[in-house]
Amino acid sequence: MGVIGCADIAIRRILPVLAAHDDVDLVAVASRSQAKAERVGAAFGCRGVADYAAVLGRDDLDAVYIPLPPGMHHEWALRALRAGKHVLVEKPMSDSYENTRELISTATELGLVLAENFMFLHHSQHAAVRAMLDQAVGELRVFSGSFAVPPLAPDSFRYQAGLGGGALLDVGVYPLRAAQLYLAGDLDVLGACLRVDTATGVDVAGSVLLGDARGATAQLDFGFEHSYRSTYALWGDRGRVSVRRAFTPPEQLKPLVRLERQDEVVERSLPEDNQVFNAIDAFVRAARGGDPRGSDTSAILRQASLVDRVRRVARIVDDTPAPNPVRRELLGEGAGLG
């Protein structure tokens, strides 16, 4: 395997797993900086290269991992696929539905594995929660999910619109994806609001309301200007289950799940799990088997479509104090909302 980009998540979470995995030979890592490439390569026992394209041109690679900013995913994943490499790309797969569809179509045509690195999906706590639904929740009425972090470094790509920055693509995609684990079918975007920072032009916070054909709803919040929160909850006609560390639990953590029913509150400790290793291992097994079905492309497409629809529906609010008429409109007055 090779790695295209020396992003923080690659250095902290992914490269250690690739370097230690029994079925992976980590060959090369690329950065725009030769010095950084060599430093990272030396730390993980591989070659450091200051040229993304040079990594794709190597004939000793079967697959690549791409942790570049979202606005660069489509270009480099497409180039990797056309170079005959299996591809694991950081979430989101790309910055638009059309780009994601092209990547999946290309991978299918070439018989290559293309996977989106939503690591939380590979933690066993979510399967455990699903097993509790009938007994603890009953018929699902409301899914709620939040993922937010404190302000990031000002020079982060997350504040650069041209690189696919913004809270929706970076943290909002997590509760959007989690909602699809529990709500049924294609989801309707019933409402959305994105707060845009006028200095950078990117969304820094948002909320979304989704609904499914059964009438269940999902209430989602995300952003870059909050105290840390990474949680979701399922509320039904029998009770409520909440997951406290839903998206980024450390592998040493035994997740706590809270069950609330009439006259009863119980907390259950679930087994610790390593979602980073599990995600990498799933990709490696699919790539070694040469089986494109190792990636759930239908789920990737549904997610990309949902993100695009949130963008289209969202009411945009900037961080300039709004005059009274705009505030009234946001509260629903004069907008047919009563």
Side-chain angles (χ1 to χ4, degrees):
M1 282 191 70
V3 176
I4 298 178
C6 289
D8 179 64
I9 189 166
I11 295 171
R12 288 189 304 106
R13 307 299 300 276
I14 306 300
L15 279 162
V17 173
L18 291 177
H21 197 291
D22 289 342
D23 291 327
V24 173
D25 178 12
L26 184 59
V27 173
V29 59
S31 170
R32 292 170 297 176
S33 160
Q34 182 68 47
K36 185 173 185 179
E38 291 179 355
R39 185 170 66 251
V40 174
F44 295 102
C46 67
R47 181 179 176 83
V49 182
D51 184 350
Y52 298 163
V55 172
L56 297 182
R58 297 179 67 100
D59 59 9
D60 56 352
L61 289 182
D62 303 300
V64 294
Y65 163 63
I66 301 176
L68 298 170
M72 301 174 70
H73 287 180
H74 174 257
E75 175 189 354
W76 287 101
L78 191 61
R79 292 177 68 165
L81 291 167
R82 289 174 175 169
K85 316 300 185 190
H86 302 293
V87 176
L88 174 64
V89 62
E90 263 308 321
K91 56 79 200 166
M93 175 69 71
S94 81
D95 55 0
S96 75
Y97 174 79
E98 289 303 323
N99 282 344
T100 298
R101 187 171 67 172
E102 182 181 14
L103 290 176
I104 289 175
S105 175
T106 302
T108 301
E109 178 184 342
L110 296 174
L112 294 166
V113 175
L114 173 67
E116 182 177 41
N117 197 35
F118 264 118
M119 293 184 287
F120 86 92
L121 297 174
H122 297 270
H123 198 290
S124 58
Q125 67 173 329
H126 308 293
V129 169
R130 288 197 67 86
M132 300 175 190
L133 289 186
D134 287 343
Q135 177 185 6
V137 174
E139 186 171 347
L140 181 65
R141 306 299 191 201
V142 178
F143 174 96
S144 57
S146 301
F147 192 22
V149 298
L152 303 159
D155 61 349
S156 170
F157 74 81
R158 295 168 180 86
Y159 295 113
Q160 299 180 47
L163 292 178
L168 174 61
L169 287 184
D170 195 65
V171 288
V173 291
Y174 285 89
L176 283 171
R177 185 67 182 86
Q180 294 172 81
L181 296 177
Y182 300 101
L183 272 67
D186 291 329
L187 306 183
D188 295 322
V189 181
L190 305 178
C193 179
L194 294 175
R195 197 175 82 74
V196 172
D197 173 33
T198 53
T200 62
V202 303
D203 55 288
V204 293
S207 296
V208 177
L209 179 65
L210 306 174
D212 70 10
R214 303 172 304 180
T217 57
Q219 303 170 2
L220 315 176
D221 304 285
F222 51 89
F224 291 155
E225 49 184 17
H226 309 63
S227 61
Y228 180 82
R229 187 170 176 83
S230 171
T231 184
Y232 68 71
L234 303 151
W235 184 12
D237 60 346
R238 296 183 188 173
R240 186 175 185 271
V241 172
S242 54
V243 181
R244 294 186 178 180
R245 293 293 296 273
F247 305 119
T248 57
E251 56 264 31
Q252 303 88 358
L253 178 73
K254 292 186 176 181
L256 279 178
V257 175
R258 183 181 177 91
L259 292 77
E260 303 172 51
R261 289 173 288 195
Q262 185 69 34
D263 301 323
E264 180 185 23
V265 176
V266 177
E267 287 191 337
R268 291 185 184 173
S269 178
L270 301 178
E272 60 190 42
D273 201 7
N274 188 337
Q275 65 184 33
V276 182
F277 175 85
N278 294 345
I280 296 298
D281 190 60
F283 173 74
V284 168
R285 285 186 283 108
R288 280 173 58 87
D291 185 1
R293 294 171 298 179
S295 175
D296 188 351
T297 55
S298 62
I300 295 171
L301 281 173
R302 285 196 304 272
Q303 171 77 0
S305 173
L306 187 57
V307 171
D308 270 15
R309 284 182 285 130
V310 167
R311 281 201 193 102
R312 288 197 299 269
V313 167
R315 187 181 301 278
I316 304 299
V317 183
D318 66 34
D319 60 0
T320 303
N324 287 337
V326 175
R327 284 203 296 269
R328 286 199 300 271
E329 184 180 3
L330 291 174
L331 290 172
E333 297 176 25
L337 300 177

